[in-house]
Structure formats: C-alpha cells, structure tokens
Amino acid sequence: MDEMQELVNLINYHNYNYYCLDNPTISDAEWDKLYDKLLEMEAKTGVVLPDSPTKKVGGEPLSAFKKYTHEITLYSLEKCNQYQDLTDWLNDKKAKNKNINFFVEYKYDGLTISITYENGILVNAATRGNGFVGEDVTEQVKTIRTVPLKIDYKGKVIVQGEAIMKLSELSKYNKTAEEPLKNARNAAAGAIRNLDPKVTKSRNLDVIFYSINYIDNFDIKTQVESHKFLKDNHFNVCDDWKICNTIEEVEMAVKQIDVEKSKLDFLIDGAVIKINDISERKMFGYTAKFPRWAIAFKFEAQEMSSKLTNIIWQVGRTGKITPIAEIEPVELAGATVKRATLNNYNDILRKKVKLNDYVFVRRSNEVIPEILGVARETEDSTPIQKIEYCPSCGSKLVEIGANLFCKNTFHCAEQIVDRLTHYASRDAMNLIGIRDKTSKQLFEILGVTNVADIYNLKEEDLKKLDGFKDKKITNLLNAIENSKTVELDKFIYSLGILNIGKKSAKLLAKEFKTIENFKNASVEQINNIFDFGDVMSESVVEYFKNENNIEIINKLFEKGVKVLDYKEEKSQKLSSMTFVLTGTLPSLSRDEATKLIEDNGGTVTSSVSKKTDFILLGEEPGSKYQKGLELGIKIIDEKELKKMIE
Ligand SMILES: [Zn+2]
C-alpha cells in the first residue's frame, strides 16, 4: 500500500508542477508510464486511494444536481466602476484607521465555487448559487486538474475559488468542436453545471483559489497569510497580487491590472480590493449583502451583443476570403466597434450566425473583434449566402478546407494591395507610410503590382499621391532604402506565404539559416520543425513552386535587397555591463567565463577602472581585487554571475 501511496504522491507532485506552476518536471511519456502503472496496481488490488489521480477521469453522470446549503455564506462584493467611487470607499476605510493596507488582486470571470476539506480529503464542492444555497458539484470538480483531492492540512477548511477555462483551452476546443463555445465564462459554468463529470473533465478547466472562508485551529491573520496557506497546500493560486498602503497605490495597482488584462490567458473583469488584516475586517463587518471590507472594481466590458446588419467579403493577400460582419456600433473595451470578423464561411455555419441576428462580439486590446455566436434571433433573421465569385476580380472561388480562395493571385486588385500593405508592415519590411490607403494608391495611381515595384518609386512618383508632402516622401524613400538589408525571419514573413505568420517565420529562419536553404526546403524538412504540420509545410513549398513568386524575389535581389543569414539572438542580460576577472573560478575557465559574459551582451576588460561594473572573483585573486575594493566596485562570484544570466 505504501508503494501505491508513493506513486500517487509522485503523480500528484508532477501534476501540481505542470498545471499549477507551469513548470513540467517530467515528460508526457514518463507521466503516461507512471499513470499506467497506477491503473494496473489499482486493478490488481481493487483499492483506489482517496487522492488517486485516476479519480479525475469522472464517474457516472448524475440524474440531477442536489442542493447544497453553504456552512459559511458566500457573499457577493460591492461593485464600482469609477475611480472616484473607489477613492471614496478607500478614504472611508482609512478614516477609521489610517494604517490599514489593502490586498489587490484579479477579479476572475468564471464560476465561483466553494470546496470543503476534512482530514485532508476533499469532501464537497458546491457552486455559489445565491450565496446561501448552491448546487453540489463534487463529482464534477473532482475531475479538474488543478483541484487537489488531498491536502497536507488535516483540520477542516473551506476554500473559495473561481473555475475558469483558459482562453488557450477555449480556442483549442473551438478549433474542432461542432458547436463552438461562445466564451470562456459560459464554457466554465457549462462544464461544471453539467451532469456528466466526463464532460467537465474534457473541457480542461482550472480553478484559481483566492479565499479561505473557514478554517479549524489555524491562525491566519492576513490575506497574505491565507494566500501562503493555499500555496503551501498546493492549491492553484495566482501570484499577481499586491499589498498597497496608500489610496494612490491601490489606484495604480488597479490601473495596471486593467492594462495587463489582455495579456492573461484567462478572463478577468476587474480587480478586487480587500483589507489585508483579518481582525480589521471583523471590525468593519457585513451589510445584508456584502462585506464592508472588500470591493470589486469592474472594468469596461470586452464583450457585448449587437445586431449583425451586413456581411462584407474581404479578399486577403493570399486570396483567402474572410467574411467581415458589420454590426450596430457598440462600445467595447474603450473603443467603438462597428465590424468584427467571422473568420470563414464554415465559421458562419458552425456558429449558426444569420443576418439581423443579435450576436456576441468580443474585443480584447490586441485582437480584432470577433463574433462569438448568436445571442438571439430576430423576425428578420435570414441565412447568409455563400459567395461564388471573388468580390474584387470576379473569378470563380475555390473551396479549400474551411476557406474560400480567389486563385487569380497576380491580377486580383484586393490581393495585390493587401500584399503591398503586408510587405510594408512593421513586423515585415517596416516601410513607414505605406498602409492600406497608400497601397491602394500605389496600385491604382502608380501601377505598382508587386513588392519589387516599390523599389522603382521616385520622388516625383510619390508627389502624385494624396497626403504625400516633402517630409513624408523623404521618410518613405529612406525606409525603402533601409529595407534593403533585412533579417531572414522578417523577409520570410514579408513574403506573405499562406499560413506563415510572424512566429512561424522566425522558426523557419532559425531552421534554415539562409534564404537559399529556405527556398529549397522540402515538405519533410519543414515538417521537422516543432509545431509545423503538413498544411504549413505544403504552403511554403507551393509558394516557391510558383514561378511568379520566384521572379518577384529575384527582382527584389536585383534591386539590391540583401537578406542576412540567421544569427542566434544573443541574450542581452549583461548588456552595457563591464566585468574584470581575477583568481581561479570554481567551475569555469577564464575563457569560458569570458565567453559566457560576452554571449550575454557584457564586456570583459583586463584592468580595473571606475568604469568597471563587476569584479568576478575566484580563488587566490590578484591585485585587481584590491583595486576593485578601493574603487568600491561590486564583487561577485561565479554563482552570482550565473544567477544574473538565468
Ligand atoms: Zn479575386
């Protein structure tokens, strides 16, 4: 039995590192082996330990959810969305005790759940419901990878967390799902409030824990200590919180969360501000609805519903046709949104979107707004017809996979213009001044039909374009000149090959090193790159099979475009730092240490001066050490150097 418990502990340890800490400590194959061994052991002995990871597969579906009365009420929070209201609230607390400090954290946008542990074992999980009575979702929650079935602490404890679906999981799910999920919040709630625990399991949810609502025999004085307790017991927590002493600090912290929210892999809809000290909280107490010691600051919505009024079919640089939905304008995350993408015709069918429907629209800072699905139909709802001919050039469209394509690559105006814009974009050749409108003028007025023509442009040509005055012309001509020396990855990206974005261009550059190697790469060679599949590899090979493409690339070279061979990016961790070495280092030779410093952007000099930043000190140092001390230069050893580079 001990052996079995050991194995269970080991797998749980790896799971914790993988799912909670994002720090895998074992390969998937090794993990599978351990798991299989455990399954075998359980089958042989007929024993399944209470914290066995095999329990996470989910039992039989329930016929109905049981009601669960919470032992400790789950209050909702007072909410505000104006900084003035937040300041007033904080002032009110400070007026009672000016030394109060605040714990500021994310306000997660998922489904709130409460979990009870007794004797270290998970005995119940329930939804918040109305705060007094929720639904028993123990079997569902047990399947979630970031919920521990067993914890070290043996007293009774009731913890609260938010069940969420990571945005990366949502998009993975939606790529293949017949019925895409409309958003991460609904997806998480739907997965937990599903009678079949196997469905919950399949959605790959996570729970982020943030509160201890009850604990036996354990003295927790502050929110910071609560957080530590949760972490020590291997609950999945988020470490992005802050202690703020002043009202200004709270405001700054909230604003920072607002700025950073779009980079997170899960939804948040605001920040929660709590008094850190628990005895202080007791003094403030509760209203009938919520605690007086916490408040939620809600950000502007990133998701709204609006009426879909029209579809425009856009032709991209690769000939791919993208349906763009025109919607009645809505305010989303601080901007007015009038258009949102529907990706492709298949997406319209999968999402069952029709003209005149009210649809959910989502916008996060960096991504183009997207239609997620239908909110409600109207009397005038009508199906969206698939188009047959290219809206730009009238060619018959071809269906490839989920997408429609115009194959009239070199004579389709919208494609030509979009290729110019793409080539000029910042992450490609960075030709400042060439954006959508200019590309269109370059094509229509100056007859630029491919990217090589850009290098024929002269001052007198550009004068013919709207809005081009002296300075703008000089800037553009300079940018064109500068673009003649370009890094391989940027060049690959600028070609606008189907399915090859910025990230894949980088990987291709890293793999093939020179433009010649890249041009001659085979499907098999490209497939060897991690994350590359047939579709991407074939797109590359197809691209170079087309003689027109080769001709344009050769023209670029004739015009003087020079593509640099790929060089490994050097780390810049020691950039602009100067080191002097003295004495024998424990593991590195002098040459090795020098190379390590230089590879990370630092400089090594032989003599000590005021300009020296660090003395790297070994055994039996020379006079340089003494001089360093005299000049007050920072002395470090090999270990510290390695730490700086990590
Ligand atoms: Zn066309």
Side-chain angles (χ1 to χ4, degrees):
M1 192 58 69
D2 279 351
E3 193 192 345
M4 193 186 226
Q5 184 67 60
E6 244 172 59
L7 188 55
V8 165
N9 292 349
L10 184 64
I11 298 173
N12 284 339
Y13 162 80
H14 289 307
N15 284 355
Y16 175 71
N17 283 328
Y18 189 84
Y19 294 119
C20 298
L21 304 182
D22 271 332
N23 175 32
T25 36
I26 189 171
S27 72
D28 290 357
E30 288 167 300
W31 189 91
D32 288 344
K33 231 186 225 171
L34 293 179
Y35 191 82
D36 288 345
K37 191 170 157 196
L38 179 62
L39 280 178
E40 201 181 301
M41 241 187 230
E42 289 177 348
K44 215 185 273 171
T45 57
V47 176
V48 179
L49 293 173
D51 59 335
S52 168
T54 63
K55 284 204 164 178
K56 296 214 171 229
V57 295
E60 291 306 303
L62 310 177
S63 54
F65 285 113
K66 279 195 296 223
K67 294 269 175 259
Y68 180 82
T69 306
H70 293 292
E71 286 179 57
I72 306 289
T73 306
L74 278 83
Y75 285 92
S76 63
L77 291 180
E78 184 179 353
K79 292 176 186 69
C80 67
N81 53 22
Q82 301 294 326
Y83 281 99
Q84 188 53 52
D85 297 339
L86 177 62
T87 307
D88 291 348
W89 187 89
L90 294 164
N91 267 324
D92 181 55
K93 310 303 148 192
K94 283 277 186 190
K96 302 218 166 61
N97 176 356
K98 66 179 173 22
N99 294 321
I100 281 183
N101 58 18
F102 301 95
F103 187 96
V104 181
E105 63 186 331
Y106 297 145
K107 182 177 182 302
Y108 304 101
D109 195 9
L111 183 73
T112 304
I113 53 170
S114 166
I115 308 186
T116 307
Y117 289 82
E118 280 173 34
N119 298 314
I121 303 291
L122 187 162
V123 293
N124 174 273
T127 60
R128 178 177 173 277
N130 60 13
F132 303 103
V133 180
E135 281 168 333
D136 185 327
V137 287
T138 309
E139 290 313 311
Q140 283 72 12
V141 167
K142 271 184 177 177
T143 67
I144 299 175
R145 57 198 187 180
T146 34
V147 173
L149 299 178
K150 191 176 153 191
I151 57 174
D152 287 345
Y153 180 69
K154 295 294 177 271
K156 180 170 175 175
V157 56
I158 303 176
V159 295
Q160 182 179 332
E162 196 87 351
I164 52 135
M165 187 174 197
K166 282 189 182 165
L167 297 174
S168 52
E169 288 293 346
L170 178 69
S171 86
K172 221 188 280 171
Y173 180 91
N174 277 351
K175 258 181 203 152
T176 54
E178 253 174 60
E179 291 241 359
L181 299 166
K182 283 171 198 167
N183 71 34
R185 185 191 338 102
N186 291 349
I192 291 204
R193 299 192 64 263
N194 191 301
L195 289 167
D196 186 353
K198 287 196 174 70
V199 171
T200 317
K201 161 92 181 156
S202 71
R203 297 264 173 99
N204 290 333
L205 302 187
D206 288 288
V207 174
I208 302 175
F209 293 89
Y210 51 80
S211 178
I212 298 172
N213 292 342
Y214 173 83
I215 187 157
D216 259 351
N217 309 318
F218 196 91
D219 191 19
I220 290 179
K221 291 196 180 67
T222 62
Q223 182 66 27
V224 175
E225 287 180 23
S226 296
H227 186 85
K228 183 171 182 308
F229 173 91
L230 291 169
K231 203 168 175 172
D232 287 347
N233 280 279
H234 285 192
F235 286 101
N236 186 41
V237 292
C238 177
D239 284 324
D240 295 330
W241 49 268
K242 241 188 209 138
I243 287 291
C244 299
N245 294 306
T246 66
I247 291 171
E248 291 72 32
E249 279 174 25
V250 172
E251 257 187 46
M252 280 300 292
V254 172
K255 281 181 180 157
Q256 197 175 352
I257 294 177
D258 195 6
V259 170
E260 284 169 5
K261 65 177 187 288
S262 61
K263 293 184 199 141
L264 300 172
D265 192 17
F266 46 82
L267 293 181
I268 63 169
D269 60 351
V272 174
I273 300 100
K274 296 172 181 166
I275 291 177
N276 183 37
D277 188 299
I278 289 172
S279 60
E280 292 281 358
R281 288 183 188 177
K282 287 191 180 128
M283 283 168 36
F284 284 98
Y286 295 80
T287 70
K289 278 200 211 141
F290 31 68
R292 290 198 181 90
W293 44 264
I295 192 165
F297 187 92
K298 296 260 280 178
F299 300 139
E300 283 170 289
Q302 293 189 292
E303 206 177 292
M304 291 286 251
S305 65
S306 176
K307 194 171 179 181
L308 193 163
T309 53
N310 189 26
I311 294 281
I312 302 167
W313 299 88
Q314 215 168 56
V315 192
R317 62 174 200 272
T318 60
K320 189 156 100 183
I321 311 285
T322 306
I324 305 290
E326 289 190 320
I327 54 170
E328 285 175 354
V330 277
E331 288 301 315
L332 273 183
T336 307
V337 174
K338 296 177 196 157
R339 287 175 165 206
T341 181
L342 268 160
N343 300 307
N344 54 51
Y345 187 72
N346 238 15
D347 219 31
I348 294 177
L349 296 180
R350 285 200 315 152
K351 290 174 176 168
K352 302 193 170 79
V353 171
K354 294 183 292 311
L355 268 180
N356 300 321
D357 280 351
Y358 278 85
V359 290
F360 285 114
V361 190
R362 176 170 170 76
R363 171 181 184 267
S364 47
N365 290 351
E366 284 155 51
V367 191
I368 28 171
E370 190 187 12
I371 304 281
L372 302 161
V374 179
R376 58 186 189 278
E377 295 182 1
T378 63
E379 282 179 0
D380 306 326
S381 292
T382 43
I384 296 164
Q385 297 300 326
K386 182 152 101 180
I387 54 165
E388 281 184 60
Y389 299 96
C390 175
S392 171
C393 69
S395 309
K396 180 121 174 104
L397 299 177
V398 183
E399 204 166 337
I400 304 173
N403 293 294
L404 293 167
F405 282 88
C406 164
K407 283 294 187 182
N408 186 18
T409 313
F410 296 96
H411 299 98
C412 178
E414 272 193 53
Q415 286 188 57
I416 292 171
V417 170
D418 198 38
R419 272 198 297 275
L420 295 175
T421 308
H422 176 77
Y423 184 81
S425 64
R426 203 173 57 188
D427 295 316
M429 302 302 256
N430 195 20
L431 303 177
I432 323 155
I434 304 190
R435 298 294 175 255
D436 286 349
K437 259 191 180 158
T438 317
S439 306
K440 209 166 170 210
Q441 291 193 64
L442 288 178
F443 171 67
E444 286 172 357
I445 300 173
L446 302 178
V448 173
T449 58
N450 64 67
V451 297
D453 291 349
I454 290 176
Y455 294 88
N456 295 334
L457 293 173
K458 301 214 166 44
E459 196 180 335
E460 53 268 33
D461 299 324
L462 294 174
K463 274 187 182 157
K464 294 178 196 154
L465 306 183
D466 275 355
F468 270 76
K469 298 245 161 58
D470 296 348
K471 194 164 174 223
K472 204 169 171 186
I473 293 173
T474 319
N475 284 346
L476 178 54
L477 289 173
N478 283 340
I480 292 173
E481 200 53 37
N482 287 337
S483 74
K484 287 185 179 170
T485 311
V486 61
E487 283 112 35
L488 180 57
D489 58 316
K490 293 202 164 170
F491 187 71
I492 295 177
Y493 177 63
S494 77
L495 296 176
I497 303 170
L498 181 63
N499 298 315
I500 302 300
K502 238 186 318 185
K503 212 173 125 199
S504 6
K506 251 204 164 108
L507 293 171
L508 286 163
K510 201 171 173 185
E511 178 74 17
F512 294 104
K513 306 278 191 292
T514 70
I515 183 71
E516 278 311 307
N517 289 346
F518 174 58
K519 269 163 72 182
N520 299 317
S522 68
V523 171
E524 294 73 33
Q525 282 173 317
I526 303 172
N527 262 345
N528 278 336
I529 304 175
F530 178 71
D531 253 8
F532 272 59
D534 286 342
V535 177
M536 284 161 91
S537 308
E538 275 159 21
S539 302
V540 173
V541 173
E542 277 300 308
Y543 181 88
F544 287 111
K545 264 193 204 156
N546 188 314
E547 278 175 26
N548 283 303
N549 289 330
I550 298 285
E551 200 187 308
I552 290 167
I553 291 175
N554 288 338
K555 261 196 205 154
L556 285 173
F557 294 161
E558 279 166 32
K559 301 282 172 198
V561 172
K562 192 170 174 289
V563 184
L564 301 172
D565 292 350
Y566 180 81
K567 284 211 179 63
E568 286 292 333
E569 268 176 47
K570 280 196 177 172
S571 140
Q572 290 302 319
K573 291 210 170 120
L574 305 180
S575 109
S576 74
M577 296 181 196
T578 306
F579 294 77
V580 170
L581 279 51
T582 178
T584 314
L585 297 170
S587 77
L588 295 172
S589 73
R590 192 163 275 247
D591 284 348
E592 284 167 343
T594 303
K595 187 170 183 305
L596 192 64
I597 290 168
E598 288 175 352
D599 282 353
N600 284 282
T603 315
V604 177
T605 59
S606 55
S607 62
V608 181
S609 75
K610 274 186 195 158
K611 286 181 188 157
T612 310
D613 295 300
F614 297 96
I615 305 261
L616 179 57
L617 181 69
E619 291 276 323
E620 295 179 37
S623 60
K624 290 175 195 167
Y625 173 51
Q626 199 54 43
K627 181 139 192 227
L629 284 179
E630 279 162 23
L631 291 174
I633 288 160
K634 197 157 187 224
I635 316 277
I636 56 166
D637 60 11
E638 185 182 302
K639 221 162 113 193
E640 284 167 283
L641 174 72
K642 285 183 174 162
K643 223 177 179 179
M644 288 166 78
I645 293 164
E646 251 165 37

